[in-house]
Amino acid sequence: MDLLSTIPNTRPVAFRMPCCDSMNSVSPRFFTEVIGKTTPGGRFLSLDSSVFLLFTAKDPALPRELIYDPDGREKFRKYLPTERGMANYVEDYPYPYVIDRRCWEVPCVMPSDWDAQNRNGKCSPQTVADLKFAVDATVIKQGMFALCFHPHGWINNTQVVELIDHAVSRYGRKVKFLSLHDVQERLDKHLLAGQPLRGSAGQDNGVRLCDVNHDGYLDVVVGNATVKQTRIWSPGTRSWQTTPFPVELVPEGPPGTWSETGVRFGVLQPSGSASILVRNGTTAGVWHFTGSAWTPDPEGLRGLELGGPLVTVTAGRDRGLRLRDLDLDGVCELIVGNPQQQAVFAYRNTGWQRLPFRLPEGTTIVDAEGRDAGLRFVDFDEDGYADVVFSNAQRYGAYVFNSMTEGWSRKMLASERPGEGPGLPMIVRADGTNNGAWFNYRHMWVQNEETGGKPPQVEVRSFTHDLLGPRRSRRARLTHRCVP
């Protein structure tokens, strides 16, 4: 990035991970420890296009002829290189989304030209035909079509022109052709009202996307030293309604010292509208979004004590307070998980009530320094309730949620590291950095600089065979099930 920036009139804006269409070359470690940082020259990116988009039959808005081949198979799923254990994709979301608060992800449409030649052979007319169907699906979804192709003879330039001509001739002014620089500018201007995800020095700029009023559409919250604003999208008028936001999400400070104020978003109202909770050295309270504004709750922190008032952040350190709906009633509980404090609270009209369980023994959300301790909430038994997977340099474990009285009482595995057998890979390394673990398609996937030596470039654990049942060999797991 620093070298590219020395070219006159050039500013890098986006990145795409090599081979992201044929292997799991991108992972949370990349987003947290690489693209989320700044270069030695102080430069940074805030847009990536390394994750793939798969249109599926689960989307009711898409006509059958766009999704199924004549033989009854899904048109786009056939392109997934399942023999490589490919898990680098999302389903039915052709829109930019935010990763780790600092990076826009613009997912590429499946197939890329590599995936297509892997399935159809080089420069196949079938490839172009299916990509035209993908354009049609994107227009129906009013989404974004990001094409991934290479100068390697897997698709001809004339075929790319044919695809462009299809979009122009069929949809005319309904479609626009944008560079990723254009995408970045339009997101900042039209969605975020000039407040980008990253500040001028690459820091978290206090911008969050969430459905504030529970209408099914994403809204925007900005809370920094310059702007405190809530932007509610009105689908009827296709316009933004602006109202104040009560607190800062990121305080102003000297370069390199930025940290969060500890504001936690969740749902504490039966209406499903958003609430925020914060208690730090300068700000304390609970606010609910009610209709068109944030309303303070005078009882919002009552009962939130554990040997003294619980705080979300102290001296810039995260104290491991998280809002999450554990019993699936639509209202969040509050989970506390740091080395000194462990508890779960339920929200009532008169304040918070402590529940008779806590996180599993030996697990925490953050460590003593406020860093990620390696805990993830994952429904690995697929009953709808959030289970716990914990893994760091010291120990690992997997625990199933049983009830609102017993909590995560079913221990499926737990061991100090190193333990017997393969165990669980680290979610967080000993130095506190993200190790590249994510959970999807009934597996735990880990990708980092140590896993990339040979296919499938990831370390894999199966929900069924490693977290819930007898362990099998890695090869057997991958053969058994790599995709849904």
Side-chain angles (χ1 to χ4, degrees):
M1 285 175 55
D2 284 339
L3 287 171
L4 287 171
S5 297
T6 63
I7 302 172
N9 303 314
T10 298
R11 182 173 67 89
V13 296
F15 181 81
R16 180 172 288 161
M17 181 68 75
C19 298
C20 57
D21 55 341
S22 60
M23 65 176 73
N24 302 300
S25 59
V26 66
S27 82
R29 181 165 174 81
F30 162 71
F31 288 110
T32 299
E33 309 300 340
V34 180
I35 203 170
K37 308 295 185 181
T38 57
T39 70
R43 297 179 178 87
F44 58 90
L45 300 177
S46 56
L47 195 150
D48 176 79
S49 189
S50 301
V51 178
F52 275 77
L53 160 71
L54 182 70
F55 285 114
T56 79
K58 292 183 288 187
D59 190 333
L62 299 180
R64 182 180 179 88
E65 61 269 20
L66 294 186
I67 295 300
Y68 286 100
D69 283 333
D71 61 5
R73 292 181 298 174
E74 284 196 36
K75 188 178 300 295
F76 303 106
R77 194 175 293 277
K78 67 175 181 282
Y79 288 109
L80 283 173
T82 55
E83 73 280 2
R84 293 171 173 247
M86 178 72 164
N88 178 34
Y89 65 97
V90 295
E91 297 183 354
D92 300 316
Y93 199 80
Y95 314 103
Y97 59 93
V98 178
I99 296 179
D100 204 27
R101 300 182 178 179
R102 301 189 187 194
C103 180
W104 282 108
E105 181 62 37
V106 179
C108 311
V109 171
M110 177 68 69
S112 72
D113 59 345
W114 184 92
D115 294 306
Q117 67 84 32
N118 187 52
R119 177 67 174 75
N120 300 330
K122 295 180 179 179
C123 306
S124 168
Q126 185 62 52
T127 296
V128 182
D130 285 347
L131 285 173
K132 289 178 181 178
F133 283 121
V135 169
D136 297 340
T138 304
V139 172
I140 290 173
K141 300 297 292 182
Q142 299 182 48
M144 183 177 293
F145 182 105
L147 179 64
C148 177
F149 66 106
H150 309 72
H152 290 310
W154 297 329
I155 191 170
N156 286 329
N157 56 354
T158 55
Q159 292 178 305
V160 177
V161 172
E162 181 183 347
L163 181 64
I164 294 171
D165 287 344
H166 168 78
V168 173
S169 62
R170 175 165 291 193
Y171 300 109
R173 293 186 178 182
K174 288 184 178 180
V175 298
K176 292 183 182 295
F177 292 86
L178 306 174
S179 69
L180 289 176
H181 189 280
D182 296 330
V183 172
Q184 177 75 74
E185 287 189 340
R186 285 169 176 261
L187 287 169
D188 290 348
K189 178 180 178 180
H190 300 294
L191 178 69
L192 306 183
Q195 293 291 317
L197 293 181
R198 304 186 75 164
S200 59
Q203 78 275 19
D204 180 351
N205 198 35
V207 176
R208 305 290 185 264
L209 271 68
C210 58
D211 183 1
V212 171
N213 59 351
H214 193 49
D215 67 348
Y217 291 86
L218 281 176
D219 308 303
V220 178
V221 170
V222 181
N224 56 42
T226 304
V227 176
K228 289 188 278 294
Q229 184 181 96
T230 306
R231 291 167 54 79
I232 304 297
W233 176 250
S234 175
T237 62
R238 299 182 66 83
S239 63
W240 294 100
Q241 309 300 316
T242 303
T243 187
F245 187 66
V247 297
E248 287 186 356
L249 299 172
V250 176
E252 188 175 16
T257 66
W258 295 285
S259 61
E260 293 185 44
T261 58
V263 176
R264 302 291 176 246
F265 286 80
V267 176
L268 299 177
Q269 309 171 83
S271 68
S273 293
S275 300
I276 58 172
L277 180 151
V278 61
R279 185 188 268 163
N280 53 42
T282 58
T283 305
V286 169
W287 288 261
H288 308 295
F289 193 82
T290 55
S292 60
W294 293 93
T295 303
D297 182 347
E299 304 296 328
L301 295 175
R302 182 187 294 273
L304 205 56
E305 298 186 358
L306 199 63
L310 287 171
V311 297
T312 54
V313 167
T314 180
R317 291 180 298 166
D318 184 353
R319 297 298 289 162
L321 275 67
R322 302 291 186 268
L323 291 168
R324 191 176 188 98
D325 183 6
L326 298 178
D327 57 1
L328 307 184
D329 67 349
V331 175
C332 290
E333 283 68 45
L334 186 138
I335 306 163
V336 185
N338 62 62
Q340 293 78 38
Q341 297 168 316
Q342 297 273 335
V344 178
F345 293 82
Y347 186 72
R348 305 288 184 258
N349 291 331
T350 56
W352 293 91
Q353 175 184 337
R354 187 174 178 181
L355 298 178
F357 65 96
R358 44 170 280 178
L359 289 172
E361 187 69 30
T363 71
T364 60
I365 294 172
V366 297
D367 64 13
E369 299 179 47
R371 304 177 304 181
D372 182 358
L375 186 144
R376 300 292 184 267
F377 294 102
V378 184
D379 180 20
F380 59 81
D381 68 344
E382 300 182 298
D383 65 350
Y385 295 90
D387 308 311
V388 164
V389 178
F390 183 80
S391 185
N392 57 28
Q394 289 76 44
R395 63 185 308 274
Y396 59 85
Y399 310 85
V400 170
F401 187 81
N402 201 38
S403 71
M404 289 297 287
T405 56
E406 298 178 356
W408 298 275
S409 58
R410 293 174 54 200
K411 181 170 65 177
M412 307 312 298
L413 72 157
S415 175
E416 299 296 319
R417 197 179 299 277
E420 296 182 2
L424 292 181
M426 287 183 287
I427 295 173
V428 173
R429 297 186 174 203
D431 62 1
T433 60
N434 188 302
N435 194 42
W438 77 100
F439 300 83
N440 214 343
Y441 312 118
R442 297 183 176 180
H443 286 75
M444 173 185 184
W445 313 81
V446 181
Q447 198 281 343
N448 53 50
E449 57 268 42
E450 281 87 42
T451 67
K454 58 182 179 180
Q457 283 84 31
V458 286
E459 194 170 354
V460 187
R461 296 293 184 272
S462 162
F463 287 179
T464 302
H465 299 282
D466 292 309
L467 274 66
L468 289 172
R471 298 185 180 90
R472 296 185 180 181
S473 72
R474 184 181 182 193
R475 181 179 298 274
R477 284 195 299 274
L478 285 170
T479 303
H480 173 71
R481 194 175 184 102
C482 284
V483 295

